[in-house]
Amino acid sequence: MKLARDTWLIFQRQTLLLLRNPVWIFVGVFQPIMYLLLFAPLLKPALAPMGATTDAQVYRVFVPGLLVLIAIFGGLFQGFGLIAELRAGVIERSRVTPVSRLALLLGRSLRDVVSLLAQAVIITLLALPFGLSVHIGDLLLAYLMLGLIALMTSAVSYGVALLVKSEDALAPLMNTVAQPVLLLSGILLPLAFAPAWLQRVADWNPFAWAVDGTRALFAGDIGNDAVWQGLLITVVLASLAVMWAARAFARSVR
């Protein structure tokens, strides 16, 4: 009960700070909307060999990848805010409070998950006039997978931020991780276009499984093996990321 109460208190505070600075909400939604409006229409000829000949089919391929992209990048760069709190002494002052060290992480990461899901809902709604259609049950399961990805990436970002304690070190490190993850996930274009050797490399990328699972859900194929494999992988990795980052919080707030 104490952990849940402490997590809720941290979540409330972090959410309030986010709402007090709405420019970040606008920035977080603006770029995905630009991809949706300006990039997705270009995919129709590219995806035609895969049988995606209508706008609805194209957006069922592109929108899930875009949502996973938001979950990955939105989470990986949350550590910058934590470094600012470290510099301001917020984390240092937490040492004298009885707040659970795990709650310090979970409250922040859950704020990031809620923020990501709000963006995902907006993007999904904006894609509906373009022909996107998805069953609500499949959509909720896809959102669950997106939430797990955001939880995992934000926890990793916070843990790394506590280790490096510098934006100058965190920025190139996160970019170095994010670039191969993006290229090997089939986010913007399905990996079916890739040569065989690249597909084999991508098989070792857990986010590629998540992208395939999310696309299967948007296509209404809930029984697809990629759905349950993606969910299992994201659950395991999110749990490991939270445990590792929680240890980093415990060491920094002793």
Side-chain angles (χ1 to χ4, degrees), residues 35-49:
Y35 272 102
L36 191 66
L37 297 178
L38 304 180
F39 183 79
L42 304 176
L43 290 177
K44 194 170 182 180
L47 297 178

Side-chain angles (χ1 to χ4, degrees), residues 2 21 63 100 128 135 187 189 199 205 248:
K2 182 181 184 300
N21 193 9
V63 172
S100 166
L128 294 179
H135 295 295
I187 285 176
L189 286 173
Q199 294 183 34
N205 179 8

Side-chain angles (χ1 to χ4, degrees), residues 75-125:
L76 284 178
F77 290 92
Q78 293 298 330
F80 289 98
L82 184 62
I83 291 176
E85 289 186 304
L86 280 169
R87 187 174 296 111
V90 174
I91 303 300
E92 179 71 22
R93 289 194 294 272
S94 299
R95 293 183 177 184
V96 298
T97 68
V99 174
S100 166
R101 302 328 185 206
L102 178 58
L104 292 173
L105 167 67
L106 288 178
R108 288 173 169 82
S109 291
L110 290 178
R111 184 275 314 268
D112 302 332
V113 170
V114 171
S115 176
L116 170 276
L117 292 178
Q119 295 177 53
V121 170
I122 293 173
I123 297 300
T124 304
L125 292 176

Side-chain angles (χ1 to χ4, degrees), residues 20-41:
R20 284 178 177 174
N21 193 9
V23 66
W24 293 110
I25 301 175
F26 172 76
V27 170
V29 173
F30 179 77
Q31 188 175 16
I33 290 177
M34 291 300 99
Y35 272 102
L36 191 66
L37 297 178
L38 304 180
F39 183 79

Side-chain angles (χ1 to χ4, degrees), residues 127-186:
L128 294 179
F130 294 94
L132 177 70
S133 62
V134 56
H135 295 295
I136 186 65
D138 297 336
L139 184 62
L140 293 177
L141 196 56
Y143 285 167
L144 172 61
M145 194 177 310
L146 293 171
L148 290 168
I149 294 172
L151 177 63
M152 171 179 55
T153 54
S154 68
V156 168
S157 183
Y158 288 136
V160 173
L162 289 172
L163 291 177
V164 300
K165 298 181 175 63
S166 167
E167 294 93 343
D168 294 335
L170 183 64
L173 185 58
M174 290 296 101
N175 279 318
T176 300
V177 172
Q179 186 175 16
V181 164
L182 170 65
L183 296 175
L184 292 173
S185 296

